[in-house]
Amino acid sequence: MIQRKQTIYLLLALAALIVCLCLPIGKLTSNAMQGAEVAVYNIGLYTSTGLDAHPVLFTDIVVVATLSFINIFLYNKRKLQMKICVVNIVLCLVWYAYYAFMALSMFKGIGSFSMSFAVCLPLVAMILLILARAGIKADEELIRSMSRIR
């Protein structure tokens, strides 16, 4: 299981998603209070008064991370693994779509928004998921060719 390259890709994608959950994904500087900065995380906005929850991004990343973790142990079901990889890629795209919606629409009247480094981590996870899917597909083709030889 661990010797397969797609397992390594899935583990790296999982690590990138977990790091993205822990790091801030942006910074919001308020227009009303000069110099007041609010950290934007996947779970919501951390202000001085507490947490203003926006759990859509958090839920999306948790679902992708969970499916990636489960996908590692489905090494005998390669077709299902490929489908889960595609679902994960689509969910990462949904994360970016909602992030863009938040940055361009929700925070527009509040103040200026700047992105953080952690925004690129779901893209890294998407690339790793594409590589994992390609490796799974190659394994499936190898198994089929070995079955034809017999």
Side-chain angles (χ1 to χ4, degrees):
M1 174 177 79
I2 195 71
Q3 67 270 20
R4 297 172 60 212
K5 63 182 176 184
Q6 55 268 28
T7 304
I8 302 298
Y9 293 144
L10 289 170
L11 281 172
L12 290 173
L14 177 65
L17 294 168
I18 290 172
V19 170
C20 182
L21 279 173
C22 299
L23 294 176
I25 56 172
K27 187 174 20 173
L28 185 62
T29 306
S30 176
N31 289 339
M33 300 173 64
Q34 298 299 329
E37 293 182 351
V38 175
V40 180
Y41 286 83
N42 280 299
I43 200 159
L45 303 169
Y46 280 106
T47 62
S48 59
T49 60
L51 173 68
D52 182 21
H54 295 283
V56 175
L57 294 175
F58 179 78
T59 305
D60 188 67
I61 292 287
V62 167
V63 168
V64 173
T66 304
L67 286 175
S68 293
F69 182 72
I70 291 170
N71 210 5
I72 293 169
F73 299 104
L74 296 175
Y75 54 89
N76 287 333
K77 301 175 183 176
R78 287 172 294 281
K79 289 183 182 181
L80 180 61
Q81 267 190 322
M82 286 190 290
K83 289 178 185 176
I84 290 175
C85 283
V86 170
V87 168
N88 280 347
I89 292 166
V90 170
L91 286 175
C92 284
L93 290 173
V94 167
W95 185 91
Y96 274 111
Y98 191 76
Y99 182 81
F101 169 73
M102 281 179 50
L104 298 175
S105 176
M106 289 176 63
F107 299 146
K108 192 169 190 171
I110 298 172
S112 63
F113 181 76
S114 62
M115 291 187 284
S116 178
F117 162 75
V119 174
C120 72
L121 292 175
L123 178 64
V124 170
M126 274 192 332
I127 292 168
L128 290 168
L129 288 167
I130 290 169
L131 291 173
R133 186 183 181 285
I136 295 165
K137 187 175 179 182
D139 274 1
E140 181 65 22
E141 290 172 0
L142 179 67
I143 297 296
R144 283 188 184 171
S145 70
M146 297 301 274
S147 296
R148 277 187 250 139
I149 292 174
R150 284 192 255 164

